[in-house]
Amino acid sequence: MNDQRFARIQAMLALRQHDLTVCMEQVHKPHNVSAVIRTADAVGIHEVHAVWPSQRMRTQASASAGSNSWVKVVTHPTIGDAVKRLKQQKMQVLATHLSDDAVDFREIDYTLPTCILMGQEKTGITAEALALADRKIVIPMAGMVQSLNVSVACALILYEAQRQRQNAGFYLRDYSLLDDDEQQRLLFEGGFPVLARVAKQKGLPYPRINAQGEVDADPSWWATMQSTGKKR
Ligand SMILES: C[S@@+](CC[C@H](N)C(=O)[O-])C[C@H]1O[C@@H](n2cnc3c(N)ncnc32)[C@H](O)[C@@H]1O
């Protein structure tokens, strides 16, 4: 890949906040899912979670502006599975909830490993999610409507987290805290999208990207990439 692209992806990797995430509980409108993913990318979130009964989540390309390829979406069959995994990662799990006993979202310390649970468009957060969460948070409302759009609410909270993390120096790193395999995946898929697509189709492992931003693969890997797969 060219030097500029390589430098840009490396800079993005260094700013990724490995311990900040969002979990969408049955958020089902594609434009909302895509808008959440787009905001996640903008604040440097590398992985978001979704409770979704089927594996495939529908997103809307125009609302995500390409951010889908940079943000990994991990789906879970139940909220219990999702929260279990997040707690294994030592995250504080914050449920967004429109209730009197929820705390103002600006009172939270987002420099701690944090997951924000967002609820379904119509029905909101489930009772099960509320029971599993560590705290409930709310964005104060002073108008006539009861709630905000889910992606708007998510953006407000994520940018408060971004503000706190920026003040704490979390966006000043020049090295990435993501694990090496994940950095390599993003460098290959972002730097060589056509090769990545072919490698995926052929079931080939991704090669390493070297310090110059080049594909470091042996001749047999290239030969398999170029083969048509047809028998002669
Ligand atoms: C349209 S709201 C759902 C409204 C639903 N009737 C309820 O009572 O929760 C969809 C989601 O957006 C988020 N949300 C919207 N407004 C919010 C607010 N003022 N504070 C916190 N979260 C909010 C929550 O995640 C909520 O579950």
Side-chain angles (χ1 to χ4, degrees):
M1 78 185 96
N2 69 41
D3 291 352
Q4 255 183 336
R5 179 89 175 155
F6 188 39
R8 184 148 180 222
I9 298 175
Q10 282 184 310
M12 175 276 290
L13 291 174
L15 299 186
R16 277 320 204 211
Q17 306 291 302
H18 70 297
D19 57 356
L20 178 64
T21 192
V22 170
C23 179
M24 294 173 269
E25 192 192 20
Q26 311 257 352
V27 174
H28 68 284
K29 293 189 177 162
H31 63 271
N32 284 335
V33 174
S34 296
V36 167
I37 293 173
R38 184 171 180 167
T39 307
D41 175 64
V43 303
I45 291 177
H46 141 264
E47 181 174 280
V48 301
H49 299 260
V51 178
W52 201 247
S54 71
Q55 280 297 307
R56 272 187 161 268
M57 282 197 65
R58 286 188 306 143
T59 57
Q60 192 169 301
S62 60
S64 62
S67 49
N68 283 357
S69 13
W70 298 107
V71 179
K72 193 162 143 188
V73 181
V74 181
T75 56
H76 304 272
T78 67
I79 186 69
D81 294 313
V83 173
K84 187 172 167 201
R85 165 139 173 202
L86 294 159
K87 292 213 166 157
Q88 277 164 355
Q89 294 172 0
K90 310 265 185 277
M91 302 258 180
Q92 59 171 340
V93 177
L94 307 173
T96 49
H97 194 234
L98 296 132
S99 57
D100 292 340
D101 59 341
V103 300
D104 185 316
F105 76 109
R106 294 162 293 197
E107 286 173 26
I108 299 291
D109 178 359
Y110 296 97
T111 62
L112 299 173
T114 300
C115 173
I116 298 146
L117 289 183
M118 303 305 303
Q120 205 247 27
E121 288 89 343
K122 207 166 173 179
T123 50
I125 285 274
T126 61
E128 191 184 356
L130 286 176
L132 292 168
D134 297 308
R135 296 184 84 172
K136 291 189 255 181
I137 57 171
V138 65
I139 302 164
M141 303 287 293
M144 294 295 283
V145 290
Q146 191 218 6
S147 63
L148 295 164
N149 166 276
V150 61
S151 68
V152 172
C154 185
L156 290 172
I157 299 165
L158 286 184
Y159 266 91
E160 170 62 13
Q162 192 276 351
R163 185 190 69 81
Q164 291 186 15
R165 285 173 168 243
Q166 181 156 302
N167 288 344
F170 286 24
Y171 288 89
L172 293 175
R173 278 190 296 264
D174 58 2
Y175 57 90
S176 181
L177 292 178
L178 299 184
D179 73 42
D180 189 54
D181 285 349
E182 197 51 17
Q183 290 183 53
Q184 284 289 326
R185 179 183 73 79
L186 288 163
L187 281 167
F188 185 55
E189 289 183 354
F192 304 91
V194 178
L195 289 182
R197 217 168 25 248
V198 176
K200 218 179 245 174
Q201 277 162 6
K202 289 180 178 268
L204 277 178
Y206 283 177
R208 286 193 70 77
I209 304 301
N210 67 21
Q212 287 70 47
E214 300 156 347
V215 174
D216 192 2
D218 57 33
S220 69
W221 186 87
W222 286 110
T224 316
M225 284 289 281
Q226 279 157 6
S227 69
T228 59
K230 287 183 191 147
K231 285 195 179 138
R232 287 165 201 248

